Amino acid sequence: MVGSAIVRYLLANGVKQAQIVTRTHAELDLTNQAAVQTFFAQEKPDQVYLAAAKVGGIHANNTYPAEFIYDNLMIQANIIDAAFKNRVKKLLFLGSSCIYPKLAPQPMREDALLTGTLEATNEPYAIAKIAGIKLCESYNRQYGVSHGVDYRSVMPTNLYGPGDNYHAENSHVIPALIRRFHEAKISNAPSVAIWGTGTPKREFLYVDDMAAASVHVMNLDKATYDQQTQPMLSHINVGYGSDVSIAEAAQTIAQVVGYTGSVTFDTSKPDGTPRKWMDSSRLNSLGWQAQVPLLQGLTQAYQDFLKK
């Protein structure tokens, strides 16, 4: 989802198709160190956007914790090290808002990292993403001056939009609800049950906004980036700027889909983190702001779902 959005943004902003190198999962297993090294040695990219990851919602994180930590650690380690060994000067690593403590003060600032206990349901994934940030910082600290390495990290809030995974169980909340409300509309189901109480609040960012932010941060001159970050606290938050409750999000999705039944809440299921609202003031001060409001983004996401 994110990788294709970054490609769309680059193409729309003057980068030629021939200048963009991509690989599907079928073409390149990023957990295979030798395959990744071979790819970098052959392609010799100038810049790398590291958007690849194993992702999912609460159910997937709870069910496959080993894959979530192993696959993400391997993907990140293989790509970042191969980039360095093949003289890539600029790399952007995409993390996740789940790197922050479960009870971090809201909105979550970058300096909340490593100040408290993580949310248990996605701790393996969060630890992998924290390791990715620290990989970038460590290569910068050791090789920034000697080799001109400039590896940066951005932490997006919850993303949605074209190219999302609409699996009924292993997807994130928005694509999962789009699918469930659509299926309920088709079958005339009287109600749709949502996991948890509906009270947790989440911030949602349309994926094309994330793509624009990624390119914006990648292209910031080094002096500006260094001025806004620290060598061991170098990541930048990317958020929409406000959040909504899961109940509000569900009602909006029902409206977009055209589902007219009732919405209920299964309180036997976990809520996850009570609130995950990002403080994006650092990125806003650097000249980027989200553009796509939730209702518009959800409408476009539903149109994408209908094409599947």
Side-chain angles (χ1 to χ4, degrees):
M1 175 172 69
V2 184
S4 58
I6 291 172
V7 169
R8 279 198 302 275
Y9 186 86
L10 291 171
L11 290 172
N13 287 274
V15 178
K16 301 285 194 296
Q17 181 71 60
Q19 295 176 279
I20 300 173
V21 179
T22 62
R23 289 293 185 274
T24 64
H25 177 66
E27 292 169 334
L28 177 61
D29 177 4
L30 296 174
T31 66
N32 183 322
Q33 186 180 49
V36 173
Q37 289 284 353
T38 299
F39 166 76
F40 272 83
Q42 291 173 346
E43 295 293 345
K44 299 288 186 186
D46 300 304
Q47 297 184 356
V48 173
Y49 289 89
L50 176 40
K54 182 175 181 65
V55 300
I58 292 175
H59 173 80
N61 275 273
N62 257 340
T63 308
Y64 310 109
E67 284 93 334
F68 271 82
I69 192 166
Y70 176 83
D71 287 358
N72 285 299
L73 284 171
M74 294 301 289
I75 289 168
Q76 297 158 191
N78 289 343
I79 291 177
I80 293 168
D81 186 61
F84 169 71
K85 286 177 176 173
N86 288 278
R87 299 182 177 82
V88 174
K89 298 290 194 288
K90 298 196 73 174
L91 178 145
L92 188 77
F93 169 67
L94 278 71
S96 166
S97 60
C98 71
I99 63 168
Y100 293 115
K102 177 177 182 177
L103 302 177
Q106 303 290 318
M108 298 180 294
R109 299 180 354 158
E110 285 89 350
D111 58 11
L113 182 66
L114 298 175
T115 61
T117 304
L118 298 165
E119 159 61 37
T121 56
N122 60 20
E123 183 193 71
Y125 178 73
I127 286 175
K129 287 298 182 182
I130 292 169
I133 298 171
K134 295 305 174 183
L135 269 169
C136 290
E137 290 177 350
S138 298
Y139 277 80
N140 288 340
R141 289 167 59 206
Q142 188 166 344
Y143 300 114
V145 174
S146 61
H147 291 70
V149 167
D150 183 7
Y151 295 171
R152 305 175 180 185
S153 299
V154 284
M155 297 300 115
T157 189
N158 299 275
L159 301 174
Y160 70 98
D164 212 338
N165 167 25
Y166 298 96
H167 190 279
E169 291 185 331
N170 294 338
S171 56
H172 285 109
V173 60
I174 281 186
L177 290 180
I178 286 175
R179 181 188 182 111
R180 290 173 65 192
F181 279 117
H182 175 77
E183 291 177 347
K185 181 181 78 167
I186 298 302
S187 65
N188 290 313
S191 66
V192 171
I194 309 298
W195 271 34
T197 62
T199 57
K201 302 190 81 172
R202 292 292 181 270
E203 181 182 26
F204 297 109
L205 183 69
Y206 191 63
V207 70
D208 287 67
D209 274 341
M210 181 61 207
S214 298
V215 177
H216 185 84
V217 172
M218 175 73 96
N219 290 340
L220 287 171
D221 68 84
K222 191 171 188 309
T224 302
Y225 185 80
D226 289 348
Q227 186 177 22
Q228 292 290 328
T229 60
Q230 301 169 33
M232 295 182 70
L233 190 67
S234 67
H235 62 286
I236 294 179
N237 287 345
V238 186
Y240 177 71
S242 60
D243 57 0
V244 296
S245 71
I246 295 298
E248 291 172 302
Q251 295 290 356
T252 305
I253 293 168
Q255 172 192 338
V256 166
V257 171
Y259 176 71
T260 56
S262 63
V263 179
T264 62
F265 296 91
D266 182 355
T267 56
S268 69
K269 302 295 188 193
D271 267 339
T273 306
R275 194 178 191 189
K276 288 204 300 183
W277 177 29
M278 305 278 265
D279 182 335
S280 301
S281 56
R282 177 174 291 173
L283 183 54
N284 297 154
S285 72
L286 290 167
W288 177 88
Q289 190 82 41
Q291 300 295 317
V292 181
L294 185 62
L295 182 59
Q296 178 189 335
L298 289 174
T299 302
Q300 291 167 195
Y302 184 49
Q303 293 306 309
D304 175 63
F305 169 80
L306 291 175
K307 298 173 188 172
K308 300 298 180 185

